[in-house]
Amino acid sequence: MDNLIEVSDLRKSFGPLVAVDGVSLRIRRGEVLGFLGPNGAGKSTTMKMITGFLAPTGGSVRICGHDVASEPIAAKSRIGYLPEGAPAYGEMSVAGFLEFIADIRGLRGTRRADRLRDVIGKIHLEHVLTQTIDTLSKGFKRRVGLAQAILHDPEVLILDEPTDGLDPNQKHEVRTLIGEMAPHKAIVISTHILEEVDALCTRTAIIARGRLLFTGTPAELEARSRYHNAVTLTVARPAAEAIGAGLGALPAVAEVEATDVDGDRRRLTVLPRGGQPILELVQQTGRAGGWALDELYVESGHLDEVFRTITTTAGVAGEVTRT
Amino acid sequence: MSRMGTLFRREFRGYFATPVAYVFIVIFLFLTGIFTFYVGGFYERGQADLEPFFRYHPWLYMLLIPAISMRLWSEERKSGTLELLMTLPVSLFEAVLGKFLAAWAFTAIALVLTFPIWITVNYLGDPDNTVIAAGYLGSMLMAGGFLAIGACISALTKNQVIAFVISFVICFAFNLSGFPLVLDFFRGWAPQAVVDVIGSFSFLTHFTSIQRGVIDLRDLIFFATLIAFWLYANMLAIDAKKSR
């Protein structure tokens, strides 16, 4: 039984509003699934159903083989969950709060002490232990939320925007931490930050208007980009036009985009037809023409562009089906 | 059961982490003192009992208990900790009961701290202490009833002020329902059976009989079922209101 999370045809309606519409996912140990989607797409609602907070209108969720609806306690004790906004009891001290979580998670004796020490050390909460949570900065509150989620070393981690509100250093730390835990767990993170998907996730799922529109590796997602395998070169301004025209005439090239780098140089991005590799071709053409290149590199693809294409096309389709 | 104990301790300590506990206890003791000695005429009556002390409890609770119960669930819903709590391996029943018992234990502390009045009456005269014990028991049960109402209402709104006002009105109605003023209103058009039922819901009637030292099983059952009913409604309210 390798699938730690099994989501089957999950649906949720709030009155006439369909928030989640038939989402199915299987997540194995060692996988980090990046859950992407515009605001209001149903990411949080899906996570709330996976963790057993909301009862689905249809479909089912199994955590390590335990159905969330029929065996909630067994399922919930295997999940670590960071809800959206990292809520915590504001009037409690950080230490008091984490001890409360340890107790309610059934940690006892030396294991309780070990886990508390480990997690507090890993997330660097030593200096705020006696502070009440209300007095903490946003970044620290988020870290307390994360500490709470991993305290019982769960097999399944569901993190709703774990790096939201953190500064770049803290983001890096949290990503490293998630990366360290990844081989032993099944992790789902939702995020708006596309670079995070590249840095952290083994798989991505894009959701919009409650529907799952794409699942695959980040590389597969990038392959959908117009910029996948595109070649970017920087050349001197006077030569730019001729080079651009020369490349644009090649049959394998779909389009050449040009932007200014500074007063003297222009940057040309050569988009291939059908996403095929064209580096060799561009290099050969360059050598034949005797171009002087300042810079030459291959693009892997623009995630934000793919994200926009996938989620907005779905928007149009949604409008059509509604009328 | 140990999970419920953990919830209970967290909630109970929560009262003392903020000024709520101290304000409540001081005001409660101050008001019971005023009502007993000035309004109730403790000395003037010349009787060694605590009737003037207990007589005003329903009215004090009506005002003060909603102030305790209003934060029970409203705050969890507003701050989002309800989502945290409900995704911990805790059943809804354990959560509802744990929180309710913590609030009830807190009112018990406030009530216990009225002991100087019991010492006073024993010093001044020779009261029937079993009647006084019955009075305390009745007062606790009534506080539990009001708390269960307040907890349920608190689960229905994120706004503590709304929770307070609505709980207050419902507690007021439960107090008044035995009064001729209310019963006469129904007597004009409702069948006698309905009037009797409304009258039987009065906290005042049930409390008064216990407080006189007559511990009737029916009064105990009344408070027990009332608490159970409102706590069950509390569970339903949380389930229904979770989504938004």
Side-chain angles (χ1 to χ4, degrees):
Chain A
M1 187 204 61
D2 248 5
N3 283 328
L4 296 189
I5 307 174
E6 289 183 63
V7 176
S8 316
D9 197 27
L10 202 60
R11 291 164 194 281
K12 181 74 187 177
S13 315
F14 298 107
L17 175 81
V18 180
V20 175
D21 191 3
V23 168
S24 297
L25 288 167
R26 302 245 175 302
I27 301 153
R28 287 195 302 270
R29 191 185 302 276
E31 277 194 301
V32 181
L33 180 86
F35 212 26
L36 298 174
N39 285 324
K43 295 190 300 282
S44 289
T45 308
T46 304
M47 291 179 136
K48 283 174 192 188
M49 288 192 281
I50 293 176
T51 53
F53 178 63
L54 290 182
T57 313
S60 70
V61 177
R62 295 174 83 82
I63 302 291
C64 306
H66 300 278
D67 189 277
V68 172
S70 59
E71 303 170 76
I73 303 289
K76 285 173 184 175
S77 55
R78 286 167 175 81
I79 303 176
Y81 178 38
L82 174 69
E84 195 178 8
Y89 292 107
E91 82 282 359
M92 295 180 96
S93 70
V94 173
F97 177 65
L98 291 179
E99 282 164 10
F100 161 68
I101 297 291
D103 289 338
I104 211 143
R105 290 282 187 189
L107 299 177
R108 298 278 177 271
T110 51
R111 178 164 158 74
R112 178 179 185 272
D114 288 349
R115 285 303 300 164
L116 280 168
R117 184 166 19 80
D118 275 9
V119 167
I120 287 166
K122 249 184 210 161
I123 303 191
H124 306 297
L125 294 172
E126 301 92 341
H127 302 297
V128 295
L129 279 180
T130 54
Q131 274 193 47
T132 52
I133 292 172
D134 269 342
T135 64
L136 296 177
S137 67
K138 200 177 171 191
F140 264 114
K141 275 185 192 159
R142 181 86 27 173
R143 282 149 81 169
V144 170
L146 197 61
Q148 161 278 123
I150 64 171
L151 193 59
H152 56 302
D153 196 17
E155 289 184 276
V156 171
L157 258 185
I158 311 285
L159 308 172
D160 203 345
E161 301 190 353
T163 58
D164 186 43
L166 300 185
D167 68 35
N169 294 335
Q170 294 167 336
K171 275 184 188 163
H172 179 75
E173 270 177 35
V174 168
R175 283 177 202 161
T176 312
L177 183 71
I178 294 174
E180 280 170 14
M181 294 186 295
H184 316 290
K185 303 183 192 305
I187 302 177
V188 179
I189 62 168
S190 79
T191 180
H192 292 297
I193 309 163
L194 292 160
E195 53 180 283
E196 209 151 72
V197 173
D198 236 356
L200 208 56
C201 301
T202 58
R203 202 143 65 96
T204 57
I206 295 184
I207 185 173
R209 298 186 177 234
R211 288 179 162 278
L212 203 57
L213 299 173
F214 173 89
T215 52
T217 63
E220 284 168 352
L221 191 62
E222 282 168 348
R224 290 200 166 197
S225 169
R226 293 196 302 138
Y227 292 93
H228 181 60
N229 282 337
V231 173
T232 296
L233 44 151
T234 312
V235 295
R237 184 175 275 279
E241 203 158 322
I243 294 175
L247 287 170
L250 295 171
V253 171
E255 198 186 338
V256 178
E257 289 176 357
T259 50
D260 281 338
V261 181
D262 50 38
D264 302 326
R265 294 177 302 166
R266 271 170 86 72
R267 177 171 291 143
L268 302 174
T269 302
V270 188
L271 277 60
R273 215 179 278 283
Q276 49 192 310
I278 52 163
L279 176 64
E280 197 116 332
L281 183 70
V282 172
Q283 281 174 326
Q284 282 167 5
T285 320
R287 270 196 295 272
W291 304 338
L293 302 182
D294 278 6
E295 218 179 15
L296 177 76
Y297 58 86
V298 180
E299 306 255 3
S300 55
H302 293 179
L303 282 177
D304 53 348
E305 177 228 344
V306 182
F307 177 80
R308 249 194 327 272
T309 313
I310 292 179
T311 53
T312 52
T313 330
V316 174
E319 295 297 339
V320 171
T321 48
R322 200 183 285 173
T323 49
Chain B
M1 238 24 200
S2 73
R3 289 188 302 244
M4 201 176 79
T6 306
L7 281 178
F8 173 89
R9 280 191 297 278
R10 195 208 73 75
E11 191 71 31
F12 188 73
R13 283 191 199 130
Y15 287 105
F16 296 94
T18 57
V20 174
Y22 306 102
V23 171
F24 178 88
I25 288 176
V26 167
I27 300 278
F28 177 75
L29 295 179
F30 179 72
L31 288 180
T32 46
I34 291 209
F35 276 111
T36 310
F37 293 105
Y38 293 95
V39 186
F42 178 74
Y43 291 121
E44 291 80 355
R45 289 171 76 247
Q47 287 182 31
D49 64 16
L50 286 184
E51 202 273 334
F53 166 68
F54 287 119
R55 193 195 305 155
Y56 299 99
H57 279 198
W59 307 104
L60 275 177
Y61 285 158
M62 177 182 86
L63 184 70
L64 292 177
I65 296 275
I68 291 198
S69 61
M70 67 180 186
R71 58 177 281 283
L72 272 176
W73 293 101
S74 299
E75 200 169 77
E76 298 257 4
R77 289 191 50 202
K78 186 161 189 179
S79 67
T81 47
L82 183 64
E83 190 171 347
L84 181 76
L85 181 64
M86 291 289 112
T87 49
L88 291 169
V90 178
S91 70
L92 186 53
F93 174 76
E94 288 170 322
V96 166
L97 196 59
K99 272 166 119 32
F100 168 76
L101 288 179
W104 207 9
F106 174 68
T107 55
I109 287 188
L111 198 57
V112 165
L113 288 176
T114 61
F115 71 91
I117 223 158
W118 172 72
I119 293 176
T120 307
V121 77
N122 273 278
Y123 175 74
L124 293 174
D126 186 20
D128 184 345
N129 278 319
T130 53
V131 174
I132 292 176
Y136 273 108
L137 173 73
S139 182
M140 260 318 280
L141 286 173
M142 186 171 56
F146 283 136
L147 267 177
I149 294 171
C152 176
I153 301 302
S154 161
L156 288 168
T157 172
K158 284 181 187 175
N159 187 317
Q160 296 197 20
V161 176
I162 293 176
F164 175 81
V165 173
I166 294 180
S167 306
F168 171 79
V169 169
I170 296 180
C171 293
F172 191 45
F174 267 95
N175 263 349
L176 276 187
S177 69
F179 270 52
L181 173 83
V182 175
L183 294 181
D184 286 346
F185 170 76
F186 287 101
R187 209 162 268 145
W189 50 273
Q192 184 59 34
V194 173
V195 177
D196 288 345
V197 167
I198 293 168
S200 73
F201 274 120
S202 172
F203 276 31
L204 278 181
T205 324
H206 292 282
F207 174 62
T208 309
S209 69
I210 298 178
Q211 176 237 318
R212 290 210 180 99
V214 188
I215 300 181
D216 188 331
L217 192 61
R218 277 171 301 179
D219 294 323
L220 301 184
I221 288 173
F222 169 76
F223 282 116
T225 44
L226 185 106
I227 290 170
F229 169 82
W230 282 97
L231 289 185
Y232 181 64
N234 188 350
M235 287 170 63
L236 295 183
I238 291 166
D239 234 7
K241 286 278 180 171
K242 259 195 307 202
S243 45
R244 225 94 299 241

